[in-house]
Amino acid sequence: VQLQASGGGLVQAGGSLRLSCIVSGRTFGNYIMAWFRQAPGKERQFVAGIGWGNGITNYVDSVKGRFTTSRDSAKKTVYLQMNSLKPEDTAVYYCTVGRARYWNVESEYMYWGPGTQVTVSS
């Protein structure tokens, strides 16, 4: 299994980016696809997740109303649409998959992609 995230970059505050994560290998019918981020000097943090089979979503409070995660099962791709970006959103963003009982717990996830840098300038 491999996960490859893309779509990061440099954007001004208030701007938008869309991250994509392509999953190769097996499929994950009942698993959670999630996005985490890690800012310099901080721990990796749960951002958003989506149930691969049922499409149920979950977000950390700080991104609710600004970020939206979705999936395209046919393309085996998960997306993170990020709007109204703030400088505090600056981080390396990772996509991951696992049988997460607790969506915000890093150890619940099995496979991780290498991450993509998102930088928001003020």
Side-chain angles (χ1 to χ4, degrees):
V1 175
Q2 289 188 324
L3 289 80
Q4 182 63 54
S6 62
L10 174 63
V11 64
Q12 289 188 332
S16 298
L17 285 173
R18 188 176 82 155
L19 305 184
S20 300
C21 178
I22 299 175
V23 183
S24 61
R26 58 169 291 186
T27 57
F28 299 93
N30 296 318
Y31 284 38
I32 305 300
M33 299 293 301
W35 294 92
F36 281 68
R37 66 186 179 187
Q38 187 168 23
K42 295 188 176 182
E43 294 185 352
R44 196 150 53 179
Q45 170 197 39
F46 172 82
V47 176
I50 184 166
W52 189 258
N54 58 23
I56 293 175
T57 58
N58 193 14
Y59 300 91
V60 68
D61 286 346
S62 60
V63 308
K64 285 180 180 177
R66 300 189 299 123
F67 290 13
T68 302
T69 188
S70 60
R71 86 259 192 254
D72 184 328
S73 299
K75 295 182 178 179
K76 297 176 73 174
T77 302
V78 177
Y79 304 98
L80 184 66
Q81 178 67 44
M82 305 185 294
N83 299 328
S84 302
L85 281 161
K86 304 176 181 180
E88 51 263 43
D89 295 318
T90 295
V92 177
Y93 283 70
Y94 299 88
C95 59
T96 182
V97 60
R99 286 184 179 272
R101 295 166 295 173
Y102 306 102
W103 290 38
N104 62 336
V105 177
E106 188 176 341
S107 60
E108 293 278 311
Y109 295 89
M110 300 165 57
Y111 303 102
W112 292 80
T116 184
Q117 177 70 47
V118 172
T119 303
V120 184
S121 62
S122 57

